[in-house]
């Protein structure tokens, strides 16, 4: 049944002949400096994906394998932030396709070096991370460990590999904070430790370019959702809560807007970036520019589930009211063009939930959360009982 993109690899252009991205940019001020792999070289790629059992990592590995990439391999530490069993279910599916996801941490540089000797990677796509704003308030050390320390172990390994693979890494729209200006050059003002840890990673990447000439391509992802998605994210969590008749908590009185990005669109953007040969560090937004009120998202889920939600409105200083995806650069320089509207994406997500999940994967550390109110008081919110 696949990991359930809804729109498959051929819709992403992975099976077509010719380049997936536009020729080298004439507008270097906007696009930055890079060359482009014009020939369709995906069949020669050898790709390492960190966080390979995660939502985006597993979906990327499946799509690359389906498209005929020469080699694709993942690493993941299967941590308990959300259900390890969900991650293992993704990994089992990948194994059926002939893709291995090794149960190792990115902090294990010796194992990364071993994999490099075996696979001679042409690309490293670094997706491994602790995600989610509210849990980062409660457990910031885990975010620094994973998103900064382990990422630095990866950088130390990759900078010494010969020949060096192309390095791509994920950041987050949370880096921008609460703002309507989300151009890639905008000031970064994160509201929580998760966003701050990703900003720290971005700065570390720049340092490795200045010292070692390692030129990575980063991408800030905007609220990616879809089948096999993260249970702590709104689409999955709201579907669960509405289905079970539980209370849905809406932060900042339900006034938050998000640029919900269906997973196949996010994967299409990442693959376009894999064709770049960067001459300097670069950053691109990957998201759907159509903002959606979280309350409108909930209404769409209610329609698909066939039940009305029980709503509770809360304040929060860690949830931005708005962070619209400005994809001017990605659209102009890469031809990135998100295709899946929110209604279709929600339908496919609820369809997957009804068929595969139904509470099985709703476990993990994220279920006990601190929500920090605007009064400065910390309120512990238990969304579900752990099982």
């Amino acid at each position: 049944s696949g990991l359930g993109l809804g729109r498959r690899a051929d819709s992403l252009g992975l099976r077509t002949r010719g380049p997936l991205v536009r020729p080298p940019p004439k507008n270097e001020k906007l696009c930055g400096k890079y060359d482009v792999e014009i020939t369709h070289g995906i069949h020669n790629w050898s790709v390492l994906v960190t966080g390979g059992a995660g939502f985006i990592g597993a979906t990327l590995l499946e799509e690359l394998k389906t498209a005929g990439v020469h080699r694709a391999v993942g690493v993941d530490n299967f941590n308990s932030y959300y259900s390890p069993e969900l991650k293992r279910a993704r990994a089992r599916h990948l194994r059926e396709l002939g893709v291995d996801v090794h149960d190792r941490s990115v902090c294990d540089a010796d194992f990364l070096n071993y994999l490099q000797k075996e696979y001679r990677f042409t690309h490293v796509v670094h997706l491994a991370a602790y995600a989610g704003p509210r849990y980062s308030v409660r457990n910031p050390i885990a975010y620094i460990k994973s998103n900064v320390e382990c990422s630095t172990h990866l950088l130390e390994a990759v900078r010494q590999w010969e020949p060096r693979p192309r390095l791509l890494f994920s950041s987050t729209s949370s880096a921008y904070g609460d703002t309507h200006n989300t151009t890639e050059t905008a000031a970064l003002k994160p509201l929580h430790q998760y966003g701050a840890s990703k900003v720290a990673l971005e700065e570390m990447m720049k340092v490795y370019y200045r010292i070692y000439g390692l030129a990575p391509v980063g991408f800030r992802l905007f609220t990616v959702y879809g089948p096999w998605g993260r249970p702590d994210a709104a689409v999955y969590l709201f579907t669960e809560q509405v289905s079970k008749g539980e209370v849905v908590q809406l932060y900042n009185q339900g006034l938050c807007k998000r640029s919900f990005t269906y997973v196949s669109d996010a994967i299409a953007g990442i693959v376009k970036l894999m064709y770049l040969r960067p001459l300097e560090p670069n950053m691109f937004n990957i998201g759907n520019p159509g903002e959606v009120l979280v309350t409108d998202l909930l209404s769409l889920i209610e329609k698909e589930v066939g039940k009305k939600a029980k709503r509770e409105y809360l304040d929060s200083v860690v949830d931005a009211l708005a962070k619209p995806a400005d994809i001017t650069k990605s659209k102009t320089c890469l031809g990135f063009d998100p295709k899946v509207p929110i209604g279709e994406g929600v339908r496919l997500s609820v369809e997957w939930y009804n068929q595969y999940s139904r509470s099985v994967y709703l476990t993990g550390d994220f279920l006990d959360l601190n929500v920090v109110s605007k009064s400065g008081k910390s309120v512990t919110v238990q969304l579900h009982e752990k099982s």
Side-chain angles (χ1 to χ4, degrees):
S1 60
L3 289 176
L5 279 179
R7 300 189 177 200
R8 305 308 307 162
D10 47 351
S11 72
L12 303 184
L14 296 180
R15 295 177 187 159
T16 62
R17 294 181 179 273
L20 291 183
V21 297
R22 296 177 177 179
K26 296 180 180 178
N27 187 350
E28 287 187 355
K29 184 176 180 181
L30 174 65
C31 299
K33 296 179 181 180
Y34 54 80
D35 293 326
V36 177
E37 184 177 329
I38 297 297
T39 59
H40 192 261
I42 194 168
H43 300 292
N44 297 319
W45 290 357
S46 179
V47 183
L48 171 64
V49 176
T50 72
F55 171 37
I56 299 171
T59 310
L60 175 62
L61 282 167
E62 180 191 30
E63 290 305 293
L64 291 172
K65 180 65 175 181
T66 302
V69 71
H70 179 52
R71 292 190 181 110
V73 64
V75 294
D76 201 294
N77 69 353
F78 295 89
N79 67 53
S80 60
Y81 169 64
Y82 67 82
S83 168
E85 182 51 39
L86 174 56
K87 299 170 190 177
R88 295 195 185 281
R90 297 183 188 125
R92 284 194 297 271
H93 170 72
L94 291 170
R95 179 82 283 279
E96 292 171 359
L97 297 177
V99 177
D100 289 322
V101 179
H102 297 276
D103 188 351
R104 293 295 186 102
S105 168
V106 177
C107 272
D108 190 345
D110 289 341
F111 186 72
L112 298 177
N113 289 329
Y114 162 76
L115 288 179
Q116 166 65 3
K117 291 177 182 177
E118 289 291 312
Y119 290 90
R120 296 296 176 186
F121 296 116
T122 61
H123 297 73
V124 175
V125 185
H126 180 38
L127 295 167
Y130 259 82
R134 284 181 292 281
Y135 189 65
S136 75
V137 176
R138 177 168 181 160
N139 191 3
I141 303 304
Y143 286 72
I144 299 303
K145 172 76 172 179
S146 174
N147 301 356
V148 182
E149 181 182 337
C150 288
S151 296
T152 306
H153 281 287
L154 174 68
L155 283 168
E156 277 294 294
V158 171
R159 75 171 178 84
Q160 299 177 69
W161 293 350
E162 292 294 343
R164 279 182 180 168
R166 296 176 220 175
L167 175 62
L168 298 87
F169 72 98
S170 64
S171 187
T172 173
S173 60
S174 292
Y176 293 111
D178 198 351
T179 179
H180 286 279
N181 180 8
T182 61
T183 60
E184 286 85 350
T185 56
L188 303 180
K189 300 178 181 179
L191 300 180
H192 40 70
Q193 289 90 328
Y194 166 52
S197 71
K198 284 295 194 174
V199 172
L201 172 59
E202 291 187 23
E203 292 302 312
M204 189 66 75
M205 292 287 179
K206 295 175 186 176
V207 167
Y208 271 72
Y209 172 69
R210 285 194 292 267
I211 297 176
Y212 303 110
L214 184 63
V217 174
F219 46 95
R220 297 184 184 128
L221 294 168
F222 284 75
T223 317
V224 182
Y225 74 101
W228 291 90
R230 282 175 23 215
D232 64 312
V235 173
Y236 189 124
L237 190 58
F238 289 0
T239 301
E240 167 83 11
Q241 291 167 329
V242 173
S243 298
K244 295 181 70 175
E246 297 177 346
V247 173
V248 176
Q249 294 170 336
L250 299 164
Y251 299 106
N252 291 327
Q253 305 306 310
L255 299 177
C256 295
K257 293 181 179 180
R258 293 292 181 268
S259 295
F260 292 99
T261 307
Y262 193 67
V263 62
S264 64
D265 287 329
I267 297 301
I270 294 169
V271 171
K272 285 178 180 292
L273 294 173
M274 293 177 72
Y275 277 81
L276 305 190
R277 291 193 180 101
L279 304 176
E280 62 184 7
N282 212 332
M283 180 62 66
F284 293 85
N285 287 336
I286 300 296
N288 191 319
E291 277 193 295
V292 178
L293 267 170
V294 173
T295 50
D296 290 342
L297 170 74
L298 181 55
S299 296
L300 289 171
I301 291 172
E302 288 175 327
K303 179 181 176 182
E304 293 297 329
V305 173
K307 292 182 180 180
K308 283 291 184 182
K310 299 175 183 178
R311 304 184 182 207
E312 179 182 9
Y313 296 92
L314 300 170
D315 286 324
S316 171
V317 296
V318 300
D319 288 87
L321 281 171
K323 44 180 180 178
D326 185 332
I327 61 167
T328 302
K329 178 178 177 180
S330 297
K331 191 169 186 177
T332 302
C333 306
L334 306 173
F336 174 63
D337 185 22
K339 302 291 186 185
V340 182
I342 185 68
E344 181 181 354
V346 167
R347 178 184 64 78
L348 292 167
S349 300
V350 174
E351 184 180 272
W352 172 82
Y353 172 86
N354 288 334
Q355 185 173 359
Y356 290 104
S357 182
R358 289 197 175 277
S359 305
V360 172
Y361 301 125
L362 205 79
T363 63
D365 299 337
F366 79 92
L367 292 173
D368 293 315
L369 302 175
N370 282 345
V371 177
V372 183
S373 70
K374 290 179 179 176
S375 67
K377 294 180 180 178
S378 180
V379 181
T380 299
V381 178
Q382 175 101 11
L383 298 179
H384 291 264
E385 291 190 3
K386 290 184 179 179
S387 57

